[in-house]
């Protein structure tokens, strides 16, 4: 979704195009078929949900046809992972391919070991500590409880994005906040959980036995298989 002369341009297909994904079930099936998929257009032509859906339906608010609404449904179902996984931008990873990304992006570390070896920031540590006692948290709760905001820690968005890029955190759902009377209000916001909580400890770490570089190579080779036109430079940018 590039910005051209101050205007956001959506790329996609017509409803009757053979490559068009018409329903959220179509999207989940497609992600499981190809393994992983960015949400928006990127350097690799055709490698996004945006380019396989009807542009006019985005942000229509119709959950039957709006891909922006679909991402909420997909996160909620828990069949594939959703988060900022590609060049710090949103996308989806199938359960099958999540262990490859976890092993490569984490360099074989669980978070505690990452912290002990001095490879995690204090800000990341403050956020991850919250999930020792909480299975899920609203993004605004994380920000408050971890001490970000006015007079506190800076860089919340960047920190939560880095934790998603390393697959330590995944978007579990989108929900409205509730007031003191228990009434929902406002736009739905992201609910986070650890990938291990959502997809199982043993599964997420099932590739830890192999070299992280081998996992990276498997991801890159898979992109070459499904998108032969992709250059090495394009592939490395999307998976780095």
């Amino acid at each position: 979704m590039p910005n051209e002369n101050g205007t956001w341009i959506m790329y996609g297909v017509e409803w009757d195009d053979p490559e068009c994904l018409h329903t959220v079930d179509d999207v989940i099936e497609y992600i499981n078929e190809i393994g992983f998929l960015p949400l928006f257009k990127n350097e690799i032509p055709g490698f996004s949900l945006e380019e396989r859906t009807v542009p006019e339906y985005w942000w229509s608010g119709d959950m039957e046809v709006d891909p922006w609404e679909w991402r909420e449904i997909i996160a909620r179902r828990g069949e594939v992972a959703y988060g900022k996984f590609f060049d710090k931008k949103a996308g989806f990873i199938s359960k099958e391919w999540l262990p490859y990304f976890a092993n490569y992006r984490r360099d074989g570390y669980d978070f505690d070991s990452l912290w002990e070896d001095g490879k995690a920031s204090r800000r990341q540590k403050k956020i991850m500590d919250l999930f020792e006692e909480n299975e899920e948290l609203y993004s605004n709760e994380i920000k408050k409880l971890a001490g970000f905001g006015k007079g506190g820690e800076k860089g919340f968005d960047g920190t939560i994005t880095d934790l998603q890029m390393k697959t330590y955190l995944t978007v579990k759902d989108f929900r409205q906040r509730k007031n003191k009377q228990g009434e929902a209000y406002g736009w739905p916001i992201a609910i986070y959980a650890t990938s291990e909580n959502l997809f199982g400890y043993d599964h997420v770490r099932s590739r830890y036995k192999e070299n992280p570089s081998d996992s990276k190579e498997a991801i890159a080779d898979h992109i070459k298989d499904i998108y032969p036109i992709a250059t090495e430079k394009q592939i490395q940018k999307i998976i780095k």
Side-chain angles (χ1 to χ4, degrees):
M1 185 178 61
N3 188 315
E4 299 182 4
N5 299 318
T7 302
W8 293 106
I9 305 296
M10 292 295 293
Y11 292 87
V13 293
E14 299 292 332
W15 182 263
D16 57 358
D17 190 301
E19 293 190 345
C20 184
L21 300 172
H22 299 106
T23 69
V24 68
D25 290 324
D26 288 345
V27 176
I28 293 173
E29 182 179 352
Y30 183 68
I31 294 165
N32 283 324
E33 177 186 335
I34 68 168
F36 37 91
L37 185 71
L39 183 64
F40 292 119
K41 186 178 185 296
N42 53 81
E43 288 76 11
I44 302 175
F47 187 39
S48 70
L49 179 61
E50 175 185 345
E51 292 162 280
R52 291 183 176 272
T53 51
V54 179
E56 293 79 12
Y57 292 160
W58 282 78
W59 298 288
S60 66
D62 185 344
M63 300 190 78
E64 293 295 322
V65 296
D66 183 351
W68 188 247
E69 298 286 342
W70 290 348
R71 89 196 198 291
E72 296 186 14
I73 299 171
I74 292 171
R76 190 172 303 125
R77 286 190 183 179
E79 297 175 45
V80 301
Y82 175 70
K84 291 186 176 180
F85 299 135
F86 303 101
D87 196 23
K88 299 186 177 183
K89 298 179 180 67
F92 310 91
I93 302 175
S94 71
K95 185 176 180 180
E96 177 185 355
W97 278 92
L98 183 60
Y100 291 88
F101 279 86
N103 187 45
Y104 158 50
R105 293 278 181 75
R106 300 176 181 184
D107 199 25
Y109 282 93
D110 60 30
F111 186 81
D112 289 340
S113 298
L114 194 75
W115 170 253
E116 290 170 4
D117 280 6
K119 295 178 180 291
S121 71
R122 178 174 49 84
R123 295 170 182 171
Q124 292 174 341
K125 172 70 170 169
K126 284 187 171 184
I127 289 176
M128 291 303 296
D129 281 350
L130 298 176
F131 290 92
E132 293 185 3
E133 297 181 358
N134 299 278
E135 291 189 357
E136 61 175 46
L137 286 166
Y138 283 86
S139 58
N140 63 305
E141 290 179 320
I142 298 172
K143 187 173 184 178
K144 179 180 178 180
L145 293 172
F148 288 82
K150 187 175 181 180
E153 296 283 358
K154 308 296 183 183
F156 174 75
D157 290 339
T159 305
I160 203 81
T161 294
D162 288 342
L163 290 170
Q164 291 173 79
M165 284 292 293
K166 290 181 171 65
T167 73
Y168 291 119
L169 292 182
T170 304
V171 178
K172 178 180 180 179
D173 198 356
F174 290 85
R175 298 180 203 143
Q176 291 176 290
R177 285 172 283 184
K178 292 184 178 180
N179 60 25
K180 294 180 180 180
Q181 289 72 43
E183 300 167 332
Y185 70 95
W187 294 102
I189 62 174
I191 305 286
Y192 290 97
T194 64
S195 296
E196 280 83 349
N197 177 271
L198 291 176
F199 299 100
Y201 182 97
D202 291 339
H203 177 73
V204 172
R205 305 182 184 201
S206 61
R207 308 301 303 190
Y208 271 25
K209 62 183 180 293
E210 72 181 27
N211 192 301
S213 64
D214 292 336
S215 292
K216 179 184 180 181
E217 185 176 354
I219 295 168
D221 287 345
H222 187 64
I223 294 178
K224 293 175 187 176
D225 287 341
I226 58 178
Y227 288 95
I229 63 173
T231 67
E232 188 65 28
K233 182 178 180 181
Q234 290 171 333
I235 292 172
Q236 292 306 315
K237 182 173 183 180
I238 203 72
I239 69 173
K240 68 180 178 180

